[in-house]
Amino acid sequence: IGDSVQRIPAYFAYGINALTSITIPNSVTSIGECAFEYCFGLTTLNFNAINCGDFSSSSYYLPFDNCPITTINIGDSVQRIPNYFAYNFYLTSVTIPNSVTSIGEYAFGYCSGLTSVTIPNSVTSIGSSAFSGCASLTSVTIPNSLTAIGYSVFSGCASLTSVTIPNSVTSIGQNAFSN
């Protein structure tokens, strides 16, 4: 995608199976519904959009739905991870750069193979259900910059055996660690 593109429209590359890797430039502010849906060859996402809008208000019509993405590289200038960013991806690990200040709702929800995640101290907010359903996630360290753990953030993380919560956290939402 070109460096001056600001908006990737809905159904942009829908069903293009030959697509194996995509690089979203820092200029992108929105990605339309189903933009890359059913791209069965798409395994790598290089995401550099500094401040991209949320993907959806639900788990339907997501830009990367039904893509076998196993690798995400998040650029060092990205400031926020959108809602439903990697929802139901085949990830095993993810590193969030120090530039990120917020992680959206369901951002990594239902990434059932996700075993590790590094949340930097730059993150000040994590949306509800951001890591819910990550059944293979074994340990999480909450950064000192976080003051609240929201609703269902880690619900359904059945393998979670270790959580480190810093003194900075003053509230933990309902069902934050349920199931």
Side-chain angles (χ1 to χ4, degrees):
I1 307 291
D3 288 338
S4 62
V5 172
Q6 294 180 348
R7 183 180 170 277
I8 298 172
Y11 300 94
F12 172 72
Y14 182 92
I16 299 178
N17 293 326
L19 188 62
T20 60
S21 176
I22 186 80
T23 299
I24 307 295
N26 62 6
S27 57
V28 170
T29 58
S30 71
I31 301 174
E33 65 184 40
C34 306
F36 300 95
E37 185 174 15
Y38 293 115
C39 291
F40 293 126
L42 185 58
T43 59
T44 303
L45 171 60
N46 300 304
F47 188 80
N48 298 307
I50 292 172
N51 199 9
C52 188
D54 293 326
F55 286 173
S56 179
S57 60
S58 72
S59 60
Y60 300 104
Y61 309 113
L62 297 175
F64 300 99
D65 205 12
N66 296 300
C67 295
I69 295 173
T70 56
T71 303
I72 292 181
N73 300 306
I74 301 172
D76 290 338
S77 297
V78 173
Q79 295 175 0
R80 65 184 298 269
I81 306 293
N83 290 357
Y84 293 93
F85 173 68
Y87 185 82
N88 202 25
F89 280 15
Y90 299 97
L91 302 176
T92 56
S93 67
V94 65
T95 300
I96 300 167
N98 289 325
S99 57
V100 172
T101 59
S102 68
I103 299 172
E105 295 178 3
Y106 289 98
F108 298 97
Y110 296 91
C111 291
S112 60
L114 188 63
T115 59
S116 67
V117 64
T118 303
I119 303 172
N121 276 326
S122 58
V123 173
T124 58
S125 70
I126 299 176
S128 65
S129 302
F131 296 95
S132 66
C134 294
S136 299
L137 194 61
T138 58
S139 68
V140 174
T141 301
I142 309 295
N144 291 325
S145 54
L146 207 61
T147 58
I149 298 172
Y151 176 81
S152 294
V153 172
F154 298 103
S155 69
C157 296
S159 299
L160 195 59
T161 58
S162 173
V163 178
T164 303
I165 301 173
N167 290 339
S168 61
V169 172
T170 58
S171 68
I172 297 176
Q174 184 176 0
N175 296 320
F177 297 97
S178 67
N179 298 318

